[in-house]
Amino acid sequence: MASLVRKLEQFVRLSAADHAILNRASSERVRRFGPRVDIVREGEKPTDVHLILSGWACRYKQLEDGRRQVVSFFLPGDICDSNVFILREMDHSIGTITAVSTADLSRDFFEEVAANHSRIATALWWDTLVNAAIQREWTMNLGQRTALERTAHLLCEIWLRLRLAGLTSGNSCEFPLTQADLADATGLSKVHLNRTLQELRAAGLIVLKGRTLAVPDLDRLMRAGLFNPNYLHMDHEGRQLDARTVDAAAGCG
């Protein structure tokens, strides 16, 4: 939950009551999954929204012959489609990459937020818009960037999202993605992806050892990936919605 709060507060400062409902929701209906299993499958009826408490997951589509396209990665603090329960059936699958803990958020939770916690509701809309912006950027990646550019771009995005959630340490972070995961996300063959990673390593842009990624010079990696972070909207755009300011104006202290 700390990662979710940290992310939402990039947009709006939440009140003590906001924190309380988020903490309650994150602890009531917790489930745990092993690595490389599905949380929900395409064709199933969604009943809840999944909040990633720990671990990494992905959204993917798969063809009948087994070919897979990863269309997004979920990190701690991410909500998997905040309105998915209105759909009759899932049009994609969500699978784990590592062991994952989720909190299942019900329709009642979102109705309570909409009725009584306007700052959370606004921040969730912001989060939805950021996710849409990420999907647009991934489309640009697949359609226009070279193999090296799209791989560098994806690594920049993951790095910044982890930093936003407080999950980096210095210039390093946990990085459990396999080359197959990266290939499925970038639309490259495994051979081409491997060659591209070697180019990034040789240029001193990344260091990949085991399950750890180090980025010695983020600016250089961003230039290599033609990366503009504006689509992540990390610059406190909702600062006018600061809970302390709003509550003081309303006489709430």
Side-chain angles (χ1 to χ4, degrees), residues 217-233:
D217 189 331
L218 181 59
D219 288 338
R220 284 188 63 216
L221 186 62
M222 289 170 69
R223 287 194 296 272
L226 306 181
F227 187 87
N228 183 341
N230 67 340
Y231 71 100
L232 295 175
H233 299 281

Side-chain angles (χ1 to χ4, degrees), residues 32-41 57 60 94-98:
R32 293 173 175 82
F33 300 86
R36 306 293 170 177
V37 299
D38 285 332
I39 296 172
V40 61
R41 294 185 180 92
Y60 71 92
I94 297 173
T96 65
I97 294 169
T98 66

